[in-house]
Amino acid sequence: RHKVELVPMPTIPDVFRYAKAASDRLGVVPVENTSWGAIAETIDLFVDPRRSLYIQEELSIHIRLALLGHKDSPRPKTLYSHVAPLEHCKKWLRRRLPKATLHAVASTAVAVRRAAQEKGAAALGTRAAAKLYGLDILEFPVTQDIPNLTQFLVVGKEKSTVAGSQKSSLVVTLADRPGSLLALLQPFDDEGLNLSRIVSRPIPGQANKYVFFIDIEVAGVRSETAMRRALRRARSACDSLRVVGSYPVRKPYRS
């Protein structure tokens, strides 16, 4: 086993900058949540060729949220969390804390730290964070009836060397003409490859121009061969195409 130093970063761009600074560094960033959808900040960093990194693997976690606060303030007036938990729990919050003022912050860790420093405040976060920052668990789990899965990507300067690729991710720009998107997608359909994610992001400074972040499921030698054939055809339909990772997908964890 290698000794790994864990370095917390306040924002997603900070994680990218840290991982890009040296080849022996990796970062972990969220890419999608089942309630909030794709994390635009992460996608934008991948589609920017000046800041992009390679995807090493995909992780996911079933997040079970807790209401963290102070036992002497069971009805907090202020609640902090990341925007994704606030969206996931909005019905529960309207029912349980209808008078609380909600504040979205950079992460659940920041939320728990803010709540720990403020009398009468609470946070949506994990039970582990409560112990770390000295808060009480006021309620757990929150909205357990609705799955709350967040996908994360491990990123680094070098291409993945982990065996067993199950996904490939592309960044694509297309000509602004009828049928260009169809021409890109058709080769993957012809090869029987499933596109599990297509996210479009605006190109800064160019009206009605978009860049696409695409995930393609790849499993086994036959799929890898089909992927190579599809990519050869797809490149001819694009203005640009970058493969930002071919990587394994891990089974979901539970918080």
Side-chain angles (χ1 to χ4, degrees), residues 132-160:
L132 185 63
Y133 290 99
L135 287 177
D136 301 308
I137 299 172
L138 304 180
E139 191 161 339
F140 176 83
V142 173
T143 61
Q144 63 175 333
D145 56 321
I146 305 173
N148 184 22
L149 184 77
T150 298
Q151 294 173 319
F152 295 85
L153 298 175
V154 180
V155 297
K157 285 188 70 173
E158 310 296 333
K159 291 183 179 180
S160 172

Side-chain angles (χ1 to χ4, degrees), residues 33-195:
N33 176 265
T34 49
S35 294
W36 186 243
I39 310 299
E41 192 172 24
T42 298
I43 300 297
D44 286 344
L45 288 162
F46 278 115
V47 302
D48 184 346
R50 299 167 301 173
R51 299 191 285 177
S52 184
L53 295 168
Y54 287 106
I55 301 171
Q56 310 295 310
E57 59 184 304
E58 179 183 290
L59 311 172
S60 58
I61 183 169
H62 287 284
I63 298 173
R64 294 181 295 170
L65 294 164
L67 178 65
L68 311 177
H70 309 270
K71 283 185 177 179
D72 57 354
S73 301
R75 291 280 181 176
K77 296 179 180 179
T78 304
L79 182 98
Y80 296 100
S81 197
H82 184 266
V83 66
L86 291 177
E87 177 67 19
H88 179 75
C89 301
K90 61 183 179 182
K91 291 182 179 179
W92 183 88
L93 290 168
R94 282 198 294 265
R95 184 176 66 252
R96 176 73 169 77
L97 300 172
K99 297 182 179 180
T101 302
L102 307 183
H103 293 282
V105 293
S107 67
T108 54
V110 171
V112 176
R113 186 169 67 244
R114 291 278 292 273
Q117 296 168 348
E118 188 176 324
K119 186 176 181 180
L124 288 174
T126 64
R127 290 175 294 174
K131 184 177 181 180
L132 185 63
Y133 290 99
L135 287 177
D136 301 308
I137 299 172
L138 304 180
E139 191 161 339
F140 176 83
V142 173
T143 61
Q144 63 175 333
D145 56 321
I146 305 173
N148 184 22
L149 184 77
T150 298
Q151 294 173 319
F152 295 85
L153 298 175
V154 180
V155 297
K157 285 188 70 173
E158 310 296 333
K159 291 183 179 180
S160 172
T161 57
V162 180
S165 297
Q166 294 162 279
K167 271 190 184 179
S168 289
S169 294
L170 316 177
V171 172
V172 177
T173 59
L174 299 172
D176 186 12
R177 62 173 180 263
S180 60
L181 182 57
L182 176 61
L184 165 68
L185 302 181
Q186 191 65 58
F188 300 102
D189 180 55
D190 292 344
E191 296 291 349
L193 296 168
N194 183 43
L195 276 62

